[in-house]
């Protein structure tokens, strides 16, 4: 029974790693579609999202099967429950990349972004993709020290998000309300993508150590992502 449990946990971990990789890839392509007003890439992100959804369903099914059939306790139970929570975080990361691609598609053939904020989103996209890769890494290695560093990497995203608002509030903004709404939503999508990657790291720390980092409180539930 123990051998079967270990095999099933390995399969679940592999699924989570694959999901994280796909979410990062989706955000990378979504950013390309946004910056280049590329409809083909946006459609690719939207079409490929079903793969993340399918993997999410598979991962949840396997995790609940472990709970039902293996009756895990103590550390094993912590691993399974953390796995279920991580599935939800990565699923949201994929959905946030999907939202970015949909805005790019909706505004095509025009660019969704005014040229003056392109640099912000190019950098936010780079950080988001790096955080997605880091989340996959910590899922594969289960290294709590590496997982804790995701919060530090997220600080750059938070800084960019704050600076972006200063641009929107500037009296010199001349792109109208619709563009301001798009920029606000897009900035939020990137910020939340990064937050979910950090949360994956937080859950890995709990999975390995049994303790939640004291400086990493659970973020409040929000409908945006």
């Amino acid at each position: 029974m123990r051998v079967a449990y270990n095999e099933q946990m390995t399969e679940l971990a592999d699924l989570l790693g694959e999901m994280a990789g796909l979410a990062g890839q989706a955000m990378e392509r979504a950013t390309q579609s946004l910056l280049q007003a590329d409809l083909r890439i946006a459609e690719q992100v939207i079409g490929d999202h079903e793969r993340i959804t399918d993997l999410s369903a598979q991962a949840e099914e396997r995790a609940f099967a472990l709970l039902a059939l293996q009756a895990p306790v103590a550390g094993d139970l912590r691993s399974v429950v953390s796995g279920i929570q991580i599935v939800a975080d990565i699923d949201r990361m994929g959905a946030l990349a999907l939202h970015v691609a949909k805005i790019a598609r909706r505004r095509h053939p025009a660019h969704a972004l005014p040229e003056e904020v392109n640099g912000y989103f190019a950098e936010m996209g780079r950080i988001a993709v790096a955080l997605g890769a880091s989340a996959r890494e910590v899922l594969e290695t289960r290294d709590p020290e590496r997982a804790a560093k995701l919060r530090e990497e997220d600080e750059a995203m938070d800084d960019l998000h704050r600076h972006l608002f200063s641009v929107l509030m500037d009296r010199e903004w001349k792109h109208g309300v619709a563009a301001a709404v798009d920029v606000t939503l897009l900035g939020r999508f990137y910020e939340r993508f990064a937050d979910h990657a950090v949360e994956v790291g937080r859950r890995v720390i709990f999975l390995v150590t049994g303790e939640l980092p004291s400086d990493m409180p659970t973020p409040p539930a929000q409908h945006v992502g």
Side-chain angles (χ1 to χ4, degrees):
M1 181 176 292
R2 185 67 190 179
V3 172
Y5 169 82
N6 288 336
E7 289 178 350
Q8 289 172 313
M9 281 302 301
T10 298
E11 291 173 356
L12 177 59
D14 289 344
L15 277 176
L16 294 175
E18 185 177 356
M19 285 178 64
L22 289 173
Q25 183 181 75
M27 184 54 92
E28 182 174 24
R29 290 174 176 168
T31 302
Q32 291 175 357
S33 71
L34 182 67
L35 295 174
Q36 301 169 16
D38 192 315
L39 181 62
R40 181 187 63 81
I41 298 176
E43 293 285 9
Q44 182 180 11
V45 174
I46 294 166
D48 289 347
H49 181 69
E50 186 175 344
R51 177 59 178 160
I52 297 178
T53 301
D54 289 343
L55 288 177
S56 178
Q58 291 178 40
E60 282 191 344
E61 182 178 340
R62 294 190 183 193
F64 284 119
L66 280 165
L67 287 176
L69 302 177
Q70 301 292 346
V73 296
D76 291 343
L77 179 60
R78 187 169 70 235
S79 295
V80 177
V81 173
S82 295
I84 293 171
Q85 294 171 326
I86 289 169
V87 170
D89 282 310
I90 301 175
D91 187 66
R92 288 309 305 153
M93 290 167 68
L96 289 160
L98 176 67
H99 293 338
V100 172
K102 284 185 174 180
I103 287 182
R105 181 178 68 174
R106 184 168 69 244
R107 296 303 182 193
H108 183 81
H111 284 74
L113 297 174
E115 186 175 351
E116 68 194 79
V117 298
N118 276 349
Y120 286 92
F121 282 94
E123 183 63 8
M124 291 173 83
R126 185 195 67 77
I127 294 170
V129 172
L131 280 165
S134 296
R136 180 173 188 173
E137 179 187 346
V138 300
L139 284 168
E140 293 173 345
T141 63
R142 296 196 175 185
D143 181 346
E145 292 185 4
R146 179 68 187 90
K149 291 181 180 178
L150 268 70
R151 184 173 177 82
E152 298 175 13
E153 296 171 14
D154 179 49
E155 291 177 0
M157 180 72 82
D158 291 338
D159 286 343
L160 282 166
H161 192 240
R162 284 192 293 269
H163 291 158
L164 188 62
F165 266 98
S166 70
V167 174
L168 289 171
M169 298 302 292
D170 194 300
R171 293 180 180 179
E172 298 300 318
W173 179 263
K174 56 182 181 296
H175 306 288
V177 174
V181 170
D182 280 347
V183 170
T184 300
L185 283 174
L186 286 163
R188 185 61 173 153
F189 295 156
Y190 281 93
E191 184 201 30
R192 289 300 295 157
F193 184 97
D195 286 345
H196 282 291
V198 172
E199 187 68 4
V200 169
R202 177 180 178 276
R203 297 192 193 284
V204 168
I205 293 172
F206 176 68
L207 185 157
V208 174
T209 67
E211 297 180 358
L212 290 172
S214 59
D215 63 336
M216 296 174 68
T218 301
Q222 300 186 34
H223 296 300
V224 172

